[in-house]
């Protein structure tokens, strides 16, 4: 039995829940939200869809007791309304930090021992807050980080070279925020490096990097929230855990050398991070990664 819980059923959390039910990615789904009327409505809406779906998922609302034995919990709480278009995700920290601290403590008291995946912004910091309050090993508490930013980079590059985005290799590293960067040394397609692709197809790597960094705010500017792509990112990571995929993927996890939750590739399986990957980055890109970790620390202090 695959049991998953989603905390927070706003625009993102409800989309996560919909994807899980639609694809039958879990056998049991527990939803939690402090807004009881919204919670009841989301559960009922999903239950009403049951007879229209090919596969069965048991959906219920629950407390920390019902979430305690979940294999995976996804944190989708947040205050995206505090972010201005083109702004900084750290504007959510003061609002989301107390919630993450309390939820972590409550889940610890309930005996949760599974894997927690955080979407909540600023995700690198919030993931660390959850880990500290849950008291779980760091490998069991991860964040979506630049998983989606990497997907945005792949979309941008794929458009330039007329390929499916899944044909693009490579990563966006660092903070899920302004200090993230495309590690162009990792990017390849058509058997060619990023620099070769840019020259052949006549596009700017700097412009492509900025387009990937700005992608979320472009969606936010039109919808006043983002939900579909980030929900897919969270569910994708969830499935890597549930299936013990042991697949290399980009994820926000604790880096002891940088003393920060930050996005670099890792191997993801049933226990969350099951192996670290030591990227052989050029000195210039490793300097950017260190600078991004420093930015996370500075922004955390400034916004706490």
């Amino acid at each position: 039995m695959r049991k998953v819980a989603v905390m927070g059923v706003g625009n993102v959390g409800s989309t996560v829940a919909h994807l899980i039910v639609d694809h039958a990615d879990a056998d049991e789904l527990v939803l939690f939200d402090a807004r009881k009327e919204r919670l009841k409505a989301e559960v009922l809406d999903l239950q009403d869809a049951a007879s229209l779906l090919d596969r069965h998922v048991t959906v219920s609302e629950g407390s920390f007791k019902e979430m305690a034995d979940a294999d995976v919990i996804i944190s989708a709480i947040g205050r995206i309304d505090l972010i201005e278009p083109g702004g900084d995700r750290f504007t959510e920290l003061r609002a989301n930090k107390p919630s993450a601290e309390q939820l972590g403590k409550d889940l610890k008291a309930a005996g949760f021992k599974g894997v927690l995946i955080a979407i909540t912004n600023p995700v690198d910091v919030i993931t660390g807050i959850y880990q500290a309050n849950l008291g779980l090993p760091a490998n069991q508490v991860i964040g979506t980080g630049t998983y989606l930013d990497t997907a945005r980079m792949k979309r941008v590059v794929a458009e330039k070279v007329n390929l499916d985005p899944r044909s693009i290799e490579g990563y966006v590293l660092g903070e899920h925020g302004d200090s993230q960067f495309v590690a162009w040394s990792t990017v390849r397609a058509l058997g060619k490096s990023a620099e070769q692709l840019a020259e052949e197809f006549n596009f700017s790597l700097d412009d492509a990097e900025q387009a990937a960094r700005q992608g979320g705010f472009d969606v936010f500017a039109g919808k006043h929230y983002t939900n579909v792509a980030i929900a897919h990112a969270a569910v994708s990571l969830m499935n890597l855990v549930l299936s013990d995929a042991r697949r290399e993927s980009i994820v926000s996890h604790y880096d002891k050398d940088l003393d920060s939750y930050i996005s670099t590739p890792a191997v993801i399986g049933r226990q969350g991070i099951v192996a670290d990957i030591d990227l052989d980055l050029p000195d210039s890109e490793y300097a950017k990664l260190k600078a991004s970790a420093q930015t996370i620390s500075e922004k955390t202090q400034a916004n706490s």
Side-chain angles (χ1 to χ4, degrees):
M1 292 287 290
R2 300 161 300 165
K3 185 173 182 179
V4 174
V6 177
M7 299 190 301
V9 292
N11 293 318
V12 176
S14 60
T15 306
V16 168
H18 169 74
L19 290 174
I20 292 170
V21 170
D22 189 42
H23 299 158
D25 288 326
D27 301 295
E28 184 176 354
L29 175 64
V30 178
L31 302 184
F32 173 88
D33 198 295
R35 300 164 298 175
K36 297 305 180 184
E37 290 187 2
R38 175 65 182 260
L39 176 61
K40 289 181 181 297
E42 290 294 344
V43 170
L44 182 59
D45 205 10
L46 290 168
Q47 291 173 338
D48 284 345
S51 67
L52 307 173
L53 300 173
D54 294 331
R55 292 161 291 186
H56 178 75
V57 178
T58 299
V59 183
S60 64
E61 58 181 278
S63 64
F64 298 103
K65 178 181 178 181
E66 284 74 38
M67 292 191 288
D69 62 345
D71 299 297
V72 177
I73 293 178
I74 296 175
S75 167
I77 66 168
R79 287 292 307 278
I80 197 169
D81 57 295
L82 298 177
I83 303 177
E84 295 295 330
D88 192 325
R89 296 172 179 90
F90 266 83
T91 56
E92 289 191 72
L93 181 57
R94 285 193 179 95
N96 292 338
K97 180 181 178 182
S99 298
E101 289 174 337
Q102 189 60 54
L103 289 169
K105 291 174 183 176
D106 290 338
L107 287 171
K108 179 180 181 179
F112 174 65
K113 300 297 183 184
V115 172
L116 185 137
I117 299 173
I119 302 173
T120 303
N121 279 321
V123 68
D124 304 294
V125 178
I126 293 296
T127 307
I129 290 171
Y130 270 124
Q131 191 274 327
N133 287 279
L134 278 165
L136 291 173
N139 63 285
Q140 290 178 232
V141 186
I142 60 179
T144 48
T146 61
Y147 194 90
L148 177 51
D149 302 296
T150 295
R152 288 174 175 142
M153 177 274 290
K154 291 180 178 181
R155 171 186 59 78
V156 171
V157 173
E159 289 173 351
K160 301 295 186 183
V161 301
N162 194 29
L163 284 176
D164 185 298
R166 291 170 295 185
S167 298
I168 311 300
E169 301 175 12
Y171 297 113
V172 174
L173 304 181
E175 173 199 10
H176 176 53
D178 292 342
S179 67
Q180 67 177 234
F181 65 98
V182 179
W184 290 115
S185 66
T186 68
V187 177
R188 294 188 64 81
L190 300 171
K192 300 176 181 179
S193 68
E195 290 77 10
Q196 290 170 324
L197 291 170
E199 181 177 359
E200 179 176 343
F201 291 91
N202 192 29
F203 68 93
S204 163
L205 295 182
D206 289 342
D207 289 348
E209 182 172 44
Q210 180 57 27
R213 183 183 291 111
Q214 184 62 27
F217 290 109
D218 290 340
V219 175
F220 181 81
K223 294 172 60 171
H224 304 295
Y225 61 91
T226 62
N227 63 320
V228 176
I230 186 57
H232 274 278
V235 172
S236 177
L237 289 173
M238 177 198 80
N239 283 326
L240 295 182
V241 174
L242 291 176
S243 63
D244 194 23
R246 302 187 69 85
R247 174 178 164 184
E248 177 182 335
S249 192
I250 189 78
V251 65
S252 182
H253 62 292
Y254 183 70
D255 186 310
K256 63 179 183 298
D257 292 330
L258 298 174
D259 191 26
S260 178
Y261 268 85
I262 196 165
S263 286
T264 57
V267 179
I268 301 176
R270 187 68 178 182
Q271 296 302 312
I273 305 300
V274 298
D276 291 315
I277 295 173
D278 186 13
L279 281 181
D280 186 18
L281 295 174
D283 290 345
S284 59
E285 290 183 349
Y286 188 69
K288 289 181 179 180
L289 186 62
K290 290 178 65 177
S292 187
Q294 182 62 32
T295 296
I296 292 170
S297 176
E298 291 172 353
K299 286 183 178 180
T300 303
Q301 294 177 18
N303 289 276
S304 295

